[in-house]
Amino acid sequence: MQHAASPKLSARSLFISDLHLGARGSRAASILEFLQGVEAQRIYLVGDILDIWHPAAVHWSETHDAIIDWFGAQVAAGREVIYLYGNHDREMRVNFPRPLPALTVAERVTHEAADGRRYLVLHGDQCDMRILRWHLMTRIGSRCDALLRRIDQWLRRRRNLSEGERSLIQIALAGINHLLAMGDGFEGRLRALARAASHDGIICGHSHKPALREEDGVIYANCGDWVDSMTALIEGEDGRLQLLEWSPEAIPASDLREQLA
């Protein structure tokens, strides 16, 4: 996986998911720095951008406001910003700390790349196991995640761990997300969904597991997240997808299709 570059990246399209703005684990400062370093003609917010279940416990700051302002600035500049809601932000206009920009909102859309390939773009929770699609399960999972991350922050202060060092709790949470996705055949279900809709690939988030690979003629692209993996997808002017990992001291991004094949 390559790192996002420090100079501004120019892209035809940007796909980013699982920012979880409002949740304790969201990395708002890193998100804002990454977004400010990218120029894209079209921006897809691929679900779970907001995490605002319980108004009294929403973690919000000026940095979060700056991220929303960045979305608004893109709309004002004439760029298309498409918000594909996920399981944590289906009610994104309810109990939100401030008004959202005039974004295009949908559950799923088709993205046609510059090379003619057609991608189904959606958050991905549509392909969870039935029990995980229950609204109650999402709320329970959100509260458990918040509690564990609160404990993690307390332990970090006690042990003087930096934000860049992964703790056992962070590793465990990432592992749980991975097991839930793998246990349900998450990727396989999404590939089948794209194939049934006569698309060349699927672009999603949800699992917090970044990926870019082609199998049986169907491309599977997962944006990852901004709680653990700090990744996003971009489409170049030639239509090829690249998977980026954010780093404050980064090297120029290059095409990853060959490296991930």
Side-chain angles (χ1 to χ4, degrees):
M1 185 182 295
Q2 296 293 320
H3 296 270
S6 295
K8 277 209 171 186
L9 284 169
S10 179
R12 185 172 185 265
S13 304
L14 168 67
F15 304 84
I16 190 167
S17 75
D18 295 272
L19 308 187
H20 290 281
L21 298 174
R24 184 178 292 275
S26 182
R27 310 286 188 89
S30 297
I31 294 166
L32 181 60
E33 187 169 349
F34 172 77
L35 291 174
Q36 290 174 336
V38 178
E39 290 183 350
Q41 301 168 33
R42 181 177 289 129
I43 299 150
Y44 291 91
L45 307 175
V46 193
D48 285 2
I49 302 303
L50 302 175
D51 200 324
I52 50 176
W53 293 117
H54 313 288
V58 171
H59 297 272
W60 203 263
S61 69
E62 291 182 357
T63 305
H64 292 77
D65 279 331
I67 293 169
I68 302 301
D69 289 340
W70 187 89
F71 295 151
Q74 304 311 300
V75 174
R79 301 182 181 101
E80 189 174 7
V81 182
I82 302 166
Y83 195 126
L84 302 155
Y85 53 81
N87 53 315
H88 282 256
D89 53 9
R90 283 185 189 281
E91 300 176 10
M92 64 181 188
R93 297 190 185 275
V94 178
N95 298 325
F96 184 51
R98 53 162 291 178
L100 282 171
L103 312 175
T104 300
V105 180
E107 181 183 11
R108 63 183 73 185
V109 295
T110 295
H111 171 73
E112 185 168 341
D115 59 6
R117 297 194 189 201
R118 297 171 71 247
Y119 295 90
L120 184 61
V121 189
L122 74 173
H123 182 57
D125 60 299
Q126 298 88 339
C127 291
D128 274 346
M129 291 182 289
R130 186 176 298 277
I131 188 173
L132 294 179
R133 293 201 297 270
W134 293 352
H135 187 63
L136 175 63
M137 294 302 293
T138 302
R139 284 181 174 268
I140 291 172
S142 182
R143 286 209 168 192
C144 289
D145 183 272
L147 175 61
L148 287 171
R149 292 189 188 279
R150 186 173 182 179
I151 294 170
D152 182 57
Q153 289 181 356
W154 180 78
L155 289 173
R156 283 180 176 279
R157 288 194 297 269
R158 290 288 301 271
R159 298 175 181 176
N160 294 319
L161 289 177
S162 69
E163 284 297 320
E165 296 177 87
R166 296 194 75 190
S167 67
L168 289 176
I169 289 179
Q170 285 182 319
I171 294 170
L173 286 169
I176 290 169
N177 284 327
H178 179 58
L179 285 173
L180 287 173
M182 292 296 292
D184 189 37
F186 179 73
E187 181 177 333
R189 288 176 185 265
L190 285 164
R191 286 183 189 277
L193 197 63
R195 192 178 293 110
S198 301
H199 285 60
D200 299 293
I202 188 112
I203 298 174
C204 64
H206 187 50
S207 70
H208 292 208
K209 193 72 176 176
L212 176 58
R213 48 182 168 261
E214 185 171 349
E215 186 177 305
D216 298 329
V218 178
I219 296 169
Y220 173 77
N222 193 306
C223 304
D225 73 294
W226 286 78
V227 176
D228 298 306
S229 62
M230 318 281 277
T231 55
L233 285 158
I234 62 169
E235 176 203 357
E237 295 297 333
D238 58 2
R240 289 184 293 180
L241 295 178
Q242 301 176 47
L243 182 62
L244 305 179
E245 181 179 19
W246 179 86
S247 171
E249 299 174 356
I251 59 173
S254 60
D255 177 28
L256 296 189
R257 185 176 299 280
E258 294 180 0
Q259 296 181 45
L260 294 176

